[in-house]
Amino acid sequence: MALSSNQLERLALHSAFGLHLVAKWMATRSDVDPEIRDRLAAHLEAIDGVLVKNGHDWIRDEIEATEDALHT
């Protein structure tokens, strides 16, 4: 299956936002392994960098808040 660059970008954005929602939920849970929380935060940081570099900085504050919550 070959996707156009527009389709790939949309898939990547939806995947990133989906992961963000899961990470946001996991940040509220006390039963999540700290290693998982740290790894999720690292992935969100990388995703945030790519999104901002590609002009999608409108969600940056929310993603950074989730990263911070994962570290607490």
Side-chain angles (χ1 to χ4, degrees):
M1 174 167 89
L3 299 174
S4 70
S5 54
N6 184 45
Q7 290 171 315
L8 284 172
E9 183 177 346
R10 290 180 57 153
L11 176 62
L13 286 171
H14 283 286
S15 298
F17 296 144
L19 178 63
H20 172 253
L21 289 173
V22 171
K24 188 174 181 177
W25 172 77
M26 290 179 90
T28 67
R29 312 261 320 166
S30 61
D31 59 345
V32 176
D33 184 326
E35 181 181 351
I36 298 295
R37 294 168 73 95
D38 286 342
R39 291 176 75 182
L40 272 173
H43 287 295
L44 285 179
E45 185 177 349
I47 287 169
D48 182 38
V50 171
L51 289 174
V52 168
K53 186 174 182 177
N54 287 287
H56 296 285
D57 59 349
W58 51 272
I59 195 165
R60 184 172 210 183
D61 291 341
E62 187 173 345
I63 288 178
E64 287 179 351
T66 300
E67 288 173 40
D68 292 342
L70 285 167
H71 287 298
T72 60

